[in-house]
Amino acid sequence: MPDYLDDLRFAHVLADAADAATTDRFKALDLKVETKPDMTPVSEADKAAEELIRRHLQRARPRDAILGEEYGVEGTGPRRWVIDPIDGTKNYVRGVPVWATLIALMEAGEGGYQPVVGVVSAPALGRRWWAAKGHGAFTGRSLTKATRLQVSRVSELADASFAYSSLGGWEEQGRLDGFLDLGRKVWRTRAYGDFWPYMMVAEGSVDLCAEPELSLWDMAANAVIVTEAGGTFTGLDGRPGPHSGNAAASNGLLHDELLGYLNGRY
């Protein structure tokens, strides 16, 4: 099995470059923000960070394909880098420090492309998380100054902490009642938002999280980090990996109950 460690080191180089670009424009008074056709915001920093990552990839990994939130797919082949230049743009443009660059490498295999490397870098929080398939998940300031991640061992919903991004989307999918029932069942709920709940699941500080509507670039890096930390990452349909257009992540012990509530089976 490939060890992916060279790709992981390169993903850190990409994250370093993106961090420098996004941090430089964070809270800038002249930051330009536009509205995309789907009515979500995009800033000049989103575009600049993705362009920067693409240039690095084109030079160092010219055979690999690229899928980015802002500029779509480029190239073909069995390896594809998946980029969200700023996950949490709404936070970014309002000066809220909960945003990150998400970088994943996906490789073709049985069942389609699967993430094998993931880096989530949140410079305004001073945090970074990463994983490579078969090598575990870590957090720290660098590859040599890192702590291994491990999901929690909480096995009862009454003792569990459940994180999410917002209430939006659950009602449109007819899942709001199950979502609220789950919230009543667990020990604690918090809407940390975006990438952060998944990283907390990987760290063991949160036990389960879910979102009703996502894109591949929102999930690919998170998925490999959660699973390499010993957790479970699926769609709300139970399909493993980041391909369902939504996500449910947990320490594994509570995953069936998480899906049960969100699919109205309880």
Side-chain angles (χ1 to χ4, degrees), residues 219-244:
M219 297 183 282
N222 296 338
V224 66
I225 293 171
V226 168
T227 54
E228 284 295 317
T232 300
F233 190 105
T234 73
L236 297 176
D237 57 4
R239 180 185 178 189
H243 298 289
S244 299

Side-chain angles (χ1 to χ4, degrees), residues 36-58:
K36 293 191 285 189
D38 64 0
M39 303 308 293
T40 60
V42 58
S43 75
E44 64 182 76
D46 292 79
K47 294 180 177 180
E50 184 169 323
E51 289 169 352
L52 181 62
I53 292 170
R54 284 175 179 269
R55 287 197 298 272
H56 279 283
L57 285 167
Q58 287 158 356

Side-chain angles (χ1 to χ4, degrees), residues 165-213:
S165 286
S166 70
L167 290 175
W170 295 105
E171 186 168 22
E172 288 89 335
Q173 294 191 8
R175 301 180 189 268
L176 183 60
D177 288 343
F179 175 87
L180 295 174
D181 287 343
L182 175 62
R184 296 183 187 104
K185 185 71 173 179
V186 298
W187 167 63
R188 194 167 191 252
T189 61
R190 285 292 183 273
Y192 298 107
D194 301 303
F195 66 94
W196 208 4
Y198 303 96
M199 299 303 98
M200 291 182 180
V201 168
E203 291 178 339
S205 54
V206 162
D207 309 299
L208 56 167
C209 68
E211 289 183 88
E213 187 174 1

Side-chain angles (χ1 to χ4, degrees), residues 174-175 177-179 181 257-266:
R175 301 180 189 268
D177 288 343
F179 175 87
D181 287 343
E257 289 178 278
L258 171 62
L259 294 180
Y261 274 98
L262 296 178
N263 286 300
R265 295 198 296 264
Y266 286 92

Side-chain angles (χ1 to χ4, degrees), residues 1-239:
M1 184 179 73
D3 66 18
Y4 303 112
L5 293 181
D6 284 344
D7 294 309
L8 177 61
R9 284 188 284 267
F10 182 58
H12 276 272
V13 172
L14 298 176
D16 289 342
D19 283 357
T22 54
T23 302
D24 182 62
R25 298 300 291 157
F26 184 48
K27 295 187 178 180
L29 296 179
D30 61 344
L31 182 72
K32 295 181 176 64
V33 182
E34 304 170 6
T35 300
K36 293 191 285 189
D38 64 0
M39 303 308 293
T40 60
V42 58
S43 75
E44 64 182 76
D46 292 79
K47 294 180 177 180
E50 184 169 323
E51 289 169 352
L52 181 62
I53 292 170
R54 284 175 179 269
R55 287 197 298 272
H56 279 283
L57 285 167
Q58 287 158 356
R59 286 196 299 269
R61 297 289 194 275
R63 297 180 181 177
D64 294 351
I66 308 169
L67 169 64
E69 178 176 10
E70 307 308 334
Y71 295 107
V73 177
E74 180 179 356
T76 59
R79 289 164 45 98
R80 176 181 291 177
W81 293 86
V82 180
I83 310 299
D84 189 342
I86 299 179
D87 183 52
T89 298
K90 292 178 183 178
N91 284 344
Y92 185 89
V93 301
R94 289 296 302 271
V96 178
V98 183
W99 49 271
T101 295
L102 278 54
I103 299 169
L105 172 63
M106 301 187 73
E107 196 166 67
E110 293 184 14
Y113 284 88
Q114 296 299 329
V116 294
V117 168
V119 173
V120 172
S121 191
L125 295 176
R127 298 294 310 276
R128 184 177 290 185
W129 304 261
W130 62 88
K133 184 179 179 180
H135 290 278
F138 297 84
T139 185
R141 301 191 67 84
S142 69
L143 282 165
T144 57
K145 296 180 180 178
T147 301
R148 188 157 190 155
L149 299 176
Q150 181 65 49
V151 296
S152 75
R153 301 301 299 169
V154 173
S155 60
E156 299 290 339
L157 280 181
D159 300 323
S161 180
F162 171 48
Y164 58 97
S165 286
S166 70
L167 290 175
W170 295 105
E171 186 168 22
E172 288 89 335
Q173 294 191 8
R175 301 180 189 268
L176 183 60
D177 288 343
F179 175 87
L180 295 174
D181 287 343
L182 175 62
R184 296 183 187 104
K185 185 71 173 179
V186 298
W187 167 63
R188 194 167 191 252
T189 61
R190 285 292 183 273
Y192 298 107
D194 301 303
F195 66 94
W196 208 4
Y198 303 96
M199 299 303 98
M200 291 182 180
V201 168
E203 291 178 339
S205 54
V206 162
D207 309 299
L208 56 167
C209 68
E211 289 183 88
E213 187 174 1
L214 293 167
S215 297
L216 181 60
W217 48 76
D218 298 312
M219 297 183 282
N222 296 338
V224 66
I225 293 171
V226 168
T227 54
E228 284 295 317
T232 300
F233 190 105
T234 73
L236 297 176
D237 57 4
R239 180 185 178 189

